[in-house]
Amino acid sequence: MEQVGLAAATEVSLWSLFLQAGIVVKLVMLGLIGASIWTWAIVIDKAVSYGRIRRQFDQFEQVFWSGQSLEELYRTLAERSNKGLGAIFVAAMREWKKSFERGARSPIGLQMRIDRAMDVTLAREAEQLESRLGSLATIGSAAPFIGLFGTVVGIMTSFQAIAGSKSTNLAVVAPGIAEALLATAIGLVAAIPAVIAYNKFSGEAGKLSARMEGFADEFSAILSRQIDEKLQPRQAAQ
């Protein structure tokens, strides 16, 4: 009796169900397992990278608002590979310096060029923040239907087994039904974390983007005041 019980347990194990599944159901399961692994890779990468970006934002803001001169801070950051707030700052200061080196005379034109440089950098940084989130959305929406496709194929296999054996014995139809349920379960295992991670990281990316937009607006106002201070005496002298 114990041997029979062990044999039955072996026959209904997940691995045995996978081995007994048809080629189509196997491909579905493998694809969903691969999607699940990719989902968790993105989750880990985003959790680490967003935490690092938040720390970088905090450090930059601490230095920026410490009273250090903009020129000195620009010289420090210009030689580095900057991300987030640092990249926006460097882009604005680079346009600022280029314009004054070429003898900028129009405050409005200079302000527009600086704002455009920050907008372009902001869009690029926001795009990097949202990279691979589309994969999570795709997996979250498609995985249940792919699992359902495996379910349909498994049920069709069960009906074919019934027709071939001319028997409705549970032992005949159980393997196909079990394969179908396993494909559905794997689809849900892949989809649920993907949906949760997408919602979480989309919110995180939105908060970080809003933080960059707020800094860009504040820095634009600072540069606007400095533009007035530098160009108004020059215009008055002319």
Side-chain angles (χ1 to χ4, degrees):
M1 292 296 292
E2 291 180 358
Q3 293 178 350
V4 173
L6 291 173
T10 303
E11 291 176 358
V12 297
S13 67
L14 297 180
W15 179 244
S16 64
L17 290 177
F18 174 79
L19 293 178
Q20 294 170 9
I23 183 64
V24 176
V25 179
K26 282 182 179 178
L27 290 176
V28 169
M29 291 181 184
L30 290 174
L32 291 173
I33 291 171
S36 181
I37 294 172
W38 178 237
T39 295
W40 284 107
I42 295 174
V43 168
I44 295 172
D45 175 71
K46 287 300 180 183
V48 173
S49 63
Y50 282 2
R52 182 176 62 250
I53 290 170
R54 283 192 296 270
R55 289 192 297 271
Q56 290 175 348
F57 282 14
D58 293 338
Q59 293 173 357
F60 176 83
E61 288 182 333
Q62 184 178 2
V63 174
F64 181 82
W65 297 112
S66 65
Q68 182 180 4
S69 70
L70 298 180
E71 292 289 342
E72 183 180 351
L73 181 58
Y74 173 71
R75 286 193 298 269
T76 302
L77 297 178
E79 300 178 355
R80 302 178 183 177
S81 177
N82 299 286
K83 298 292 184 181
L85 301 182
I88 295 172
F89 171 81
V90 170
M93 288 298 295
R94 184 179 292 119
E95 183 60 38
W96 162 279
K97 294 181 70 66
K98 286 181 180 179
S99 297
F100 274 103
E101 288 173 358
R102 296 173 182 175
R105 297 183 178 181
S106 171
I108 297 177
L110 176 56
Q111 186 69 51
M112 289 180 61
R113 288 193 298 273
I114 291 174
D115 289 343
R116 182 62 60 85
M118 287 195 292
D119 288 342
V120 171
T121 305
L122 176 60
R124 183 172 62 249
E125 294 298 317
E127 183 178 359
Q128 291 180 358
L129 286 174
E130 297 173 356
S131 64
R132 294 190 297 278
L133 292 185
S135 298
L136 294 178
T138 301
I139 293 172
S141 61
F145 295 100
I146 297 174
L148 181 61
F149 172 73
T151 300
V152 172
V153 173
I155 293 175
M156 290 174 60
T157 302
S158 299
F159 284 132
Q160 290 173 353
I162 293 173
S165 63
K166 297 181 181 180
S167 172
T168 58
N169 192 312
L170 184 60
V172 176
V173 300
I177 294 176
E179 295 168 13
L181 295 176
L182 181 58
T184 302
I186 296 176
L188 293 176
V189 168
I192 293 173
V195 172
I196 295 174
Y198 175 77
N199 292 333
K200 174 178 173 54
F201 291 131
S202 293
E204 291 288 334
K207 292 178 181 178
L208 293 172
S209 296
R211 193 169 174 180
M212 289 191 294
E213 291 175 2
F215 171 77
D217 292 339
E218 289 179 332
F219 191 42
S220 178
I222 293 172
L223 292 181
S224 179
R225 289 192 294 269
Q226 295 202 7
I227 290 171
D228 292 340
E229 293 174 359
K230 287 181 175 292
L231 292 185
Q232 282 181 355
R234 183 184 300 179
Q235 294 175 346
Q238 294 176 352

